């Protein structure tokens, strides 16, 4: 049976501010905004080209706002993606790669500035945060590993 990641719940402190960031600033598609009742609101947005959506709102999670780190978006050109985000007023860190050449460590102590020397697929990252501090990563994937 296929199991697909459909939704990630994002903890935010201000629903309208988050909606403004993801929809108006980043240009993600607004799928739904359901104010169900007092203290329960569901906002769903989807990054361009993604099959997985992000939900935030009120009464959806016990996590503290800004505590999600390591959310990842895959892009085919990290430099172009970084330029697009910067043109939307988003501060982007990177590009960088991990000193091990593998997936990035938590935090920034093992980061090597610049793109992967051979621009190897899966080897280059960049990062940005939403207004609450939830951290997103971009990973450049130009050729998928076998079976992906």
């Amino acid at each position: 049976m296929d199991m697909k990641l459909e939704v990630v719940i994002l903890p935010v402190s201000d629903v309208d501010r988050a909606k403004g960031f993801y929809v108006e600033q980043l240009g993600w598609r607004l799928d739904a905004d359901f104010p169900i009742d007092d203290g329960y609101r569901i906002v769903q947005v989807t990054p361009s080209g993604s099959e997985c959506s992000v939900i935030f709102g009120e009464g959806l999670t016990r996590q503290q706002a800004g505590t999600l780190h390591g959310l990842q978006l895959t892009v085919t050109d990290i430099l172009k993606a970084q330029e697009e985000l910067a043109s939307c007023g988003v501060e982007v860190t990177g590009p960088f790669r991990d000193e091990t050449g593998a997936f990035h460590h938590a935090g920034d102590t093992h980061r090597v500035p610049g793109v992967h020397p051979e621009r190897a697929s899966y080897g280059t990252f960049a990062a940005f945060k939403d207004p609450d501090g939830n951290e997103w990563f971009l990973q450049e994937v130009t050729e998928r590993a076998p079976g992906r």
Side-chain angles (χ1 to χ4, degrees):
M1 173 190 319
D2 286 348
M3 291 189 188
K4 297 180 180 183
L5 182 61
E6 186 78 17
V7 170
V8 173
I9 297 176
L10 190 66
V12 301
S13 61
D14 182 316
V15 179
D16 290 318
R17 180 179 70 176
K19 183 178 172 184
F21 177 76
Y22 288 104
V23 175
E24 295 164 22
Q25 193 169 349
L26 293 183
W28 292 10
R29 184 182 71 225
L30 176 63
D31 300 320
D33 186 348
F34 299 123
I36 307 297
D37 58 33
D38 190 36
Y40 189 53
R41 178 178 174 192
I42 305 163
V43 177
Q44 179 174 318
V45 298
T46 303
S48 178
S50 179
E51 292 185 27
C52 183
S53 298
V54 174
I55 290 180
F56 52 85
E58 297 175 16
L60 300 175
T61 182
R62 293 183 181 143
Q63 285 183 280
Q64 294 296 313
T67 58
L68 222 48
H69 300 278
L71 296 165
Q72 186 163 310
L73 301 166
T74 300
V75 299
T76 56
D77 185 330
I78 201 135
L79 298 176
K80 184 175 179 183
Q82 190 170 350
E83 284 177 21
E84 287 181 14
L85 286 169
S87 75
C88 295
V90 176
E91 184 178 327
V92 183
T93 304
F96 60 87
R97 60 191 187 281
D98 193 84
E99 67 186 10
T100 64
F103 194 76
H104 60 81
H105 279 83
D108 58 6
T109 57
H110 298 276
R111 292 181 182 176
V112 177
V115 297
H116 187 279
E118 291 88 39
R119 286 299 281 270
S121 199
Y122 301 96
T124 304
F125 301 88
F128 69 93
K129 294 180 180 180
D130 74 5
D132 281 299
N134 293 302
E135 187 174 30
W136 292 85
F137 287 89
L138 304 174
Q139 183 179 32
E140 185 174 73
V141 177
T142 55
E143 186 177 328
R144 292 263 175 208
R148 305 282 238 147

